[in-house]
Amino acid sequence: MAFIEVKGLTKEYATQYRKISAVNDISFVLEEGDFVAIKGKSGSGKSTLLHLLAGLMIPDKGEISIDGVVISKTNKKDIQKFRRENIGIVFQSFELLPYHNILENIVIPLHINHIAVDMDQVEMLLHEIGIYHLKDAFPNELSGGEQQRVAIVRALVHNPKLLLLDEPSGNLDSINTQILLDCLKKIHKLKKPTILLVTHDDEVANIACKKMVIKDGKIERFG
C-alpha cells in the first residue's frame, strides 16, 4: 500500500478580481521512505502543497491519504492528533522560543502535546546533527544554520514517519546549507522517514531521491 496517495488535489485563493489555483488537480503516490524534493518558482504552489500534506490547510477538492488515514476528510481535532504523532515540520522561520535554551525548545512541544520525552533519543539526534554542545545555549547565541538544525531535531524527536521541510536553506549561506544537506542525508539514512523538501535551489534538490517540479499549481515533472 502507498504511504502517501494524493488524488485530484486542488486549493484555490480568491482575490477581488479572480480565483488563483495554487494547487490545481494534483495526483501522485509516494512509498514509505521516499525522499522527494519539490521544486518550483516562487508562487508555483509548492509551499501550499506542503501545507495541505501537513493538514494545516483544507483542500477545496481532492483527497490526501497518509499511512492509510484520509486526512483531507478528517476533522480538525483528529488531524491535529495525527500530525502530532506522525508528522514533523520544519518551516523556513525557525520558530524557536527566545527565552528558552535549545534543549527546552526541543522538549517543550512534547510536554505540551503530552508525549513522553526520550532523552536518549534527543541526545542522539543532537549528537548526529552536531549541536549537542549547544544544548544549554539560547537561540540568539546560535547562527542561522545552528538554529535550523535545532528545528530539525525538534521535528524528529517523536520519530515521525513523515518529515516536511519548507525552504530549509532559504535563510542560510552556502557553508550552512552544505551542513544542513549533510544532516538531512544522515537523518534519512539513520531514521528512514519519508521526506518532502520544498526548495528552489538545485543543489538542495539534488540530495533527494526523487524530484517533483511544480509549475502554475500543476506537476510538470516527477521522478
Side-chain angles (χ1 to χ4, degrees):
M1 183 177 70
F3 179 64
I4 296 177
E5 190 168 3
V6 172
K7 299 177 182 177
L9 196 64
T10 296
K11 182 65 179 180
E12 296 179 334
Y13 298 103
T15 71
Q16 184 178 354
Y17 304 104
R18 61 188 176 121
K19 285 186 177 180
I20 299 170
S21 294
V23 172
N24 188 359
D25 195 26
I26 280 180
S27 300
F28 62 88
V29 173
L30 298 180
E31 301 301 324
E32 191 167 5
D34 276 347
F35 190 161
V36 181
I38 303 174
K39 287 189 60 186
K41 294 181 180 179
S42 179
S44 62
K46 57 190 188 298
S47 290
T48 299
L49 174 59
L50 203 75
H51 282 68
L52 288 165
L53 292 170
L56 296 170
M57 290 181 176
I58 299 172
D60 296 315
K61 298 177 184 177
E63 185 175 292
I64 304 168
S65 173
I66 301 176
D67 200 22
V69 176
V70 183
I71 67 166
S72 53
K73 296 181 179 178
T74 303
N75 64 58
K76 185 177 180 180
K77 184 178 179 180
D78 288 342
I79 287 176
Q80 290 173 340
K81 182 176 186 294
F82 180 82
R83 185 166 56 241
R84 286 196 304 267
E85 295 175 352
N86 296 279
I87 302 176
I89 308 172
V90 181
F91 297 106
Q92 188 172 345
S93 56
F94 309 128
E95 309 284 351
L96 301 183
L97 302 171
Y99 302 112
H100 292 272
N101 67 30
I102 297 318
L103 187 58
E104 291 167 342
N105 263 278
I106 291 166
V107 301
I108 282 174
L110 297 178
H111 291 310
I112 291 172
N113 293 314
H114 307 292
I115 298 172
V117 177
D118 183 344
M119 285 307 301
D120 289 339
Q121 162 89 342
V122 173
E123 292 186 359
M124 181 273 292
L125 287 168
L126 288 168
H127 275 296
E128 288 293 335
I129 290 187
I131 53 172
Y132 180 81
H133 62 294
L134 298 172
K135 63 184 175 68
D136 296 319
F138 288 81
N140 66 352
E141 298 176 303
L142 274 59
S143 69
E146 289 164 343
Q147 290 185 49
Q148 184 65 284
R149 282 183 273 167
V150 174
I152 291 173
V153 172
R154 184 180 57 192
L156 288 168
V157 287
H158 61 297
N159 283 316
K161 295 181 178 181
L162 176 61
L163 179 62
L164 304 174
L165 303 105
D166 192 1
E167 297 280 9
S169 65
N171 295 319
L172 305 182
D173 59 24
S174 59
I175 293 173
N176 278 301
T177 293
Q178 188 56 56
I179 293 171
L180 171 68
L181 299 185
D182 292 341
C183 288
L184 290 176
K185 286 187 283 189
K186 184 179 290 187
I187 288 300
H188 189 241
K189 182 178 180 180
L190 179 72
K191 308 295 288 184
K192 295 180 174 57
T194 303
I195 299 178
L196 280 85
L197 182 158
V198 163
T199 185
H200 63 272
D201 187 323
D202 287 335
E203 180 185 4
V204 175
N206 285 339
I207 71 167
C209 303
K210 297 179 180 179
K211 295 178 187 176
M212 180 185 296
V213 179
I214 305 288
K215 183 178 180 180
D216 298 328
K218 289 184 173 289
I219 296 177
E220 189 176 54
R221 296 193 308 276
F222 182 41

